[in-house]
DNA sequence: GCGCGAGTCGAACGAGCAGT
DNA sequence: ACTGCTCGTTCGACTCGCGC
């Protein structure tokens, strides 16, 4: 039996009425009450913000928050009904838990995990994770990207033009080959079995990714099963370049 | 003075870290 | 302990210069 990697707090089911102004989503709870929830995903959420979709909200008891509810999951029907994770900082948290459990054999037997390590030419970028202590001398720079866009069973990143994402790729390339550089695409939905760069949304990113792979960048497109109960790791998706 | 396009900026929230 | 910055991201609101 596969263990839960992450368990959601109690969630409140509802129906998405509309998403607007990037951070807001009006949701009708099953009680009939209409609430405005914080949408912690500032991306375009292409294909995953359709009104009348089933959603799941968490509720914060932080009194400083203006919006107590947070949009966590939305159900899509591209394939079978599938829950998609909306919360963009969850992938980092979940990957941290997965690293602690050594769920990615591709990364070897590191002994130290550091988060948010400063790197880059101007020392202004931060890598999500920095792994050291493996038998191999080279440390690992690991960057995590949240992926929700899909075409059928093919997951795509990015879902919009991302100059920041391009910058991250360039900076990872600059580290090669003295260190290992790994891009981990967190496929935030269980129905996708393959992964490709989203050339239609950001062709520059797609080209950069291929250049980076040629230089030695490693890509881990990771599949996760998402449900209101929690998140489980399903293994790697097939990389289609 | 007006309308237009291009460019810049701040708001929204939370986590984590550095500096005081 | 506290403040302030950075990161994630988009877009409405705003300023600027241009041509008429």
């Amino acid at each position: 039996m596969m263990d839960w990697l992450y368990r959601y707090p109690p969630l409140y089911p509802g129906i998405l009425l509309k998403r607007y102004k990037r951070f807001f989503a009006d949701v009708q709870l099953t009680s009939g009450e209409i609430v405005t929830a914080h949408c912690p995903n500032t991306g375009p959420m292409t294909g995953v913000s359709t009104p009348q979709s089933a959603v799941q909200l968490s509720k914060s008891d932080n009194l400083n928050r203006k919006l107590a509810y947070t949009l966590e999951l939305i159900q899509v029907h591209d394939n079978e009904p599938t829950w998609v994770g909306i919360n963009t900082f969850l992938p980092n948290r979940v990957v941290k838990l997965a690293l602690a459990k050594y769920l990615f054999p591709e990364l070897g037997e590191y002994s130290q995990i550091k988060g948010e390590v400063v790197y880059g030419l101007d020392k202004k970028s931060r890598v999500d994770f920095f792994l050291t202590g493996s038998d191999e001398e080279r440390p690992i720079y690991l960057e995590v990207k949240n992926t929700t866009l899909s075409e059928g069973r093919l997951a795509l990143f990015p879902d919009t033009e991302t100059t920041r994402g391009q910058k991250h790729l360039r900076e990872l390339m600059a580290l090669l080959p003295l260190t290992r550089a790994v891009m981990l695409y967190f496929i935030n939905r269980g129905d996708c079995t393959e992964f490709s760069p989203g050339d239609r949304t950001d062709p520059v990113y797609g080209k950069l990714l291929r250049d980076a792979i040629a230089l030695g960048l490693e890509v881990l497109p990771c599949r996760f099963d998402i449900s209101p109960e929690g998140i489980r790791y399903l293994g790697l998706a097939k990389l289609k370049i």
Side-chain angles (χ1 to χ4, degrees), chain A residues 49-66:
Chain A
S49 56
T50 313
Q52 299 305 313
S53 297
V55 294
Q56 299 278 342
L57 308 181
S58 62
K59 194 174 185 183
S60 167
D61 47 17
N62 179 352
L63 295 174
N64 292 326
R65 278 182 59 159
K66 294 186 176 179

Side-chain angles (χ1 to χ4, degrees), chain A residues 77-186:
Chain A
H77 296 267
D78 299 342
N79 301 298
E80 62 280 358
T82 303
W83 288 105
V84 178
I86 293 302
N87 199 327
T88 49
F89 45 86
L90 209 50
N92 274 289
R93 221 184 295 169
V94 172
V95 167
K96 190 174 187 178
L97 296 171
L99 288 172
K101 291 187 175 182
Y102 295 94
L103 285 191
F104 309 114
E106 298 83 2
L107 296 177
E109 296 187 3
Y110 47 88
S111 57
Q112 263 202 320
I113 306 168
K114 281 174 82 174
E116 303 285 323
V117 173
V118 173
Y119 78 115
L121 297 172
D122 53 1
K123 298 274 176 207
K124 277 186 178 171
S125 291
R126 289 189 205 163
V127 72
D128 289 325
F129 295 102
F130 182 63
L131 309 175
T132 52
S134 65
D135 293 340
E136 194 187 355
E137 283 296 297
R138 294 188 301 166
I140 303 174
Y141 285 84
L142 177 71
E143 187 69 32
V144 178
K145 292 288 169 203
N146 183 39
T147 305
T148 56
L149 179 65
S150 81
E151 279 174 16
R153 307 230 171 247
L154 180 65
L156 298 166
F157 183 91
D159 60 358
T160 182
E161 188 188 353
T162 167
T163 48
R164 212 182 277 257
Q166 293 169 15
K167 184 178 154 217
H168 278 143
L169 275 179
R170 288 196 186 92
E171 285 174 339
L172 284 178
M173 286 163 85
L175 299 171
L176 296 165
L178 293 177
T179 68
R180 289 178 69 188
V182 179
M183 256 337 228
L184 192 157
Y185 294 99
F186 188 103

Side-chain angles (χ1 to χ4, degrees), chain A residues 4 6-9 11 73 83 225-232:
Chain A
W4 293 107
Y6 175 83
R7 294 298 297 259
Y8 279 104
L11 296 179
L73 300 173
W83 288 105
D225 174 49
I226 315 287
S227 77
E229 284 77 44
I231 297 176
R232 285 187 287 211

